[in-house]
Amino acid sequence: MSSFPATLFAGSRYAVCGLGRNGTAVVEALLHMGAIVQAWDDRNADLPPHERLTVAPITDLRGVSALILSPGIPHTLPKPHPVATLARAQGIPILSDAEILWRAVRKAGSSARFVSVTGTNGKSTTTALIAHVFQHAGIPTAAGGNLGTASLALPLLGNNGVYVIEMSSYMLERLDHYHAQAACLLNITPDHLDRHGDMEGYTRAKAHVFDNMGRGDLAAIGNDDPWCNAIADILRTRGIEVATLNADNPPAFENMALPGRHNAQNVAAAWAIARHLGLSEDAIRQAVSSFPGLEHRLQKVAESHGISFINDSKATNAEAVSKALASYERVMWIAGGVSKAGGIEMLVPWFDRIGKAYLIGQDANILANTLAEHNVPFEMCGTLDNAVPTAFREAQSAGVPIVLLSPACASFDQFASFEARGSYFLHICDNIVQSGGSGTPPAHDQGG
């Protein structure tokens, strides 16, 4: 691994709109590579001064190589940002930082391979697992994208390196020449329809993960929904090899860090891609068995008196929670926060696995109404400080082996992020273990 050449984009001009985690990394990387950059953010345009950086509203894009628009800023639906409208009017391409990374790697002379991972659910775990498999085999690997390190903040890898890029539908819409040697589409369920218009638009965005692929490349695709199956059929007509990810018949492995049918599909994806890129079955099996799991995603964080505490704070919608509930026979379930459209109605088939629900956050009443309709016992706890010790005590009394935080809701009512929520859950669990299982809550505020 090394840094990109400082003159790689010398003389080229770029515009960057949106200066969150992604946009700031793009600006820093482009400046490091010698580019001239104009950057702006409608809310917070605070960047360190640089001789090739202009921080000002973007009103003219003539002479600019591309506009890099942060993923959360719309360029079409529900309403295009004015800068996106300007770019279209002036014929300037709107790109994601993953596209710029690919161009930078190739311009630097590296033939490092690219692996793309997408899907409505499971893409973060699969990205982390694939990266772990290659790292375990001693291959230089860099992972990032939608979660974790921004794509353009990744280092330059040599010819034998592998980039593993998690891609949201927002990022996929803004690819151009980017070409992956292997790409994975785990599943498609309704999501982000305001951004894509309808399921057809959302599916079309996801299918961009296979852009520019051809013979010799691999498409690994789940087979649990009609949208994925239709895309697989189209790719076969293009002569692209398709590996069907059958979660009911995954490769044999032993790994308690990856419970559930959905994780069997994630393992199947990693297996198919690693084999395609030259790893042996033994190397893959050893790597999968040593994978610790993704933080905040079905992560066992503590155990006391035979009760396991599972941190699934990343499960911010019902679809993700369904995977968690399907992974365990019986749980005490902690849920709540800022409810998503549709609530938890789709979880009804898994309600019989819930010993009791402990509800937190601003929309606890919405979840409570659905639970009451289906006679699932619940308690309004308000905060994790109350919910976790209560669930632990009652799990012991009821003989239920799992206390599961899988909120089905966003975290922003009480926490800055799902990571902050999961970390606070872990803090409470640690306190329970250190107190010998008394369940006494920690003397800290829950804020953030």
Side-chain angles (χ1 to χ4, degrees):
M1 297 186 186
S2 61
S3 298
F4 285 90
T7 58
L8 192 67
F9 288 144
S12 297
R13 292 180 57 205
Y14 290 90
V16 180
C17 183
L19 298 175
R21 176 186 69 90
N22 184 277
T24 299
V26 169
V27 171
E28 291 174 353
L30 289 173
L31 291 173
H32 172 78
M33 297 179 204
I36 301 164
V37 180
Q38 181 173 352
W40 187 248
D41 188 295
D42 294 334
R43 290 178 293 183
N44 181 18
D46 185 20
L47 290 172
H50 190 284
E51 61 183 1
R52 284 182 275 106
L53 172 64
T54 301
V55 180
I58 300 169
T59 58
D60 189 352
L61 289 166
R62 286 172 296 183
V64 168
S65 298
L67 167 67
I68 296 95
L69 201 59
S70 288
I73 300 175
H75 66 280
T76 52
L77 299 174
K79 181 181 179 180
H81 188 279
V83 174
T85 301
L86 176 66
R88 280 211 170 85
Q90 296 185 334
I92 305 300
I94 302 172
L95 303 178
S96 68
D97 69 326
E99 172 70 27
I100 304 300
L101 171 69
W102 185 87
R103 294 185 183 191
V105 170
R106 294 294 178 255
K107 189 174 177 65
S110 172
S111 56
R113 295 159 292 178
F114 279 74
V115 174
S116 305
V117 180
T118 196
T120 306
N121 291 293
K123 54 186 177 290
S124 297
T125 297
T126 303
T127 299
L129 175 59
I130 292 171
H132 175 81
V133 168
F134 284 106
Q135 288 166 345
H136 192 273
I139 294 174
T141 306
N146 184 58
L147 183 73
T149 305
S151 300
L152 208 51
L154 297 174
L156 175 62
L157 301 178
N159 294 336
N160 64 333
V162 175
Y163 289 95
V164 188
I165 310 297
E166 178 185 337
M167 291 190 171
S168 68
S169 57
Y170 299 172
M171 294 169 63
L172 289 168
E173 290 183 302
R174 297 171 185 164
L175 297 180
D176 185 15
H177 300 304
Y178 178 100
H179 170 209
Q181 282 67 48
C184 169
L185 173 59
L186 294 166
N187 47 61
I188 298 178
T189 57
D191 203 6
H192 304 305
L193 300 188
D194 60 332
R195 177 72 172 257
H196 302 291
D198 52 25
M199 277 303 293
E200 182 179 349
Y202 180 52
T203 301
R204 191 164 50 246
K206 286 296 190 186
H208 282 304
V209 76
F210 303 114
D211 284 357
N212 302 315
M213 293 177 69
R215 296 184 186 277
D217 298 327
L218 177 74
I221 305 181
N223 66 343
D224 285 344
D225 60 78
W227 302 287
C228 283
N229 291 331
I231 291 171
D233 290 341
I234 292 171
L235 293 176
R236 291 187 182 100
T237 67
R238 288 169 46 190
I240 297 172
E241 180 184 353
V242 175
T244 301
L245 306 178
N246 185 350
D248 296 316
N249 187 29
F253 72 101
E254 295 181 4
N255 189 342
M256 296 308 293
L258 293 169
R261 181 180 183 277
H262 67 293
N263 271 322
Q265 184 188 60
N266 298 340
V267 170
W271 185 281
I273 288 171
R275 288 291 291 139
H276 178 73
L277 294 184
L279 296 192
S280 70
E281 292 188 1
D282 284 346
I284 299 168
R285 188 172 283 108
Q286 290 174 21
V288 170
S289 296
S290 67
F291 182 60
L294 188 69
E295 195 174 15
H296 309 296
R297 193 72 181 100
L298 289 183
Q299 175 193 22
K300 181 177 177 180
V301 295
E303 183 175 343
S304 181
H305 290 66
I307 308 299
S308 295
F309 296 91
I310 307 297
N311 170 20
D312 195 38
S313 183
K314 193 175 186 296
T316 59
N317 58 46
E319 176 72 23
V321 175
S322 71
K323 304 296 192 295
L325 293 177
S327 299
Y328 306 102
E329 292 185 5
R330 197 75 171 159
V331 303
M332 294 304 204
W333 180 39
I334 301 173
V338 182
S339 181
K340 297 289 185 75
I344 58 170
E345 190 65 37
M346 72 154 291
L347 296 177
V348 171
W350 293 274
F351 277 177
D352 61 355
R353 298 181 179 223
I354 300 170
K356 185 176 177 180
Y358 305 83
L359 304 180
I360 64 172
Q362 75 172 38
D363 291 333
N365 284 331
I366 296 175
L367 277 63
N369 291 337
T370 304
L371 294 170
E373 290 173 7
H374 297 277
N375 300 311
V376 178
F378 65 87
E379 183 172 334
M380 305 295 280
C381 293
T383 67
L384 283 177
D385 284 317
N386 296 327
V388 180
T390 304
F392 172 63
R393 288 192 298 269
E394 296 188 359
Q396 293 179 81
S397 301
V400 175
I402 302 290
V403 171
L404 170 68
L405 170 66
S406 191
C409 294
S411 60
F412 303 121
D413 56 333
Q414 295 178 325
F415 297 93
S417 62
F418 74 79
E419 293 95 339
R421 178 171 59 191
S423 295
Y424 193 75
F425 174 74
L426 186 153
H427 174 71
I428 299 172
C429 295
D430 281 347
N431 181 272
I432 289 173
V433 172
Q434 293 168 12
S435 67
S438 68
T440 304
H444 284 266
D445 291 333
Q446 181 164 287

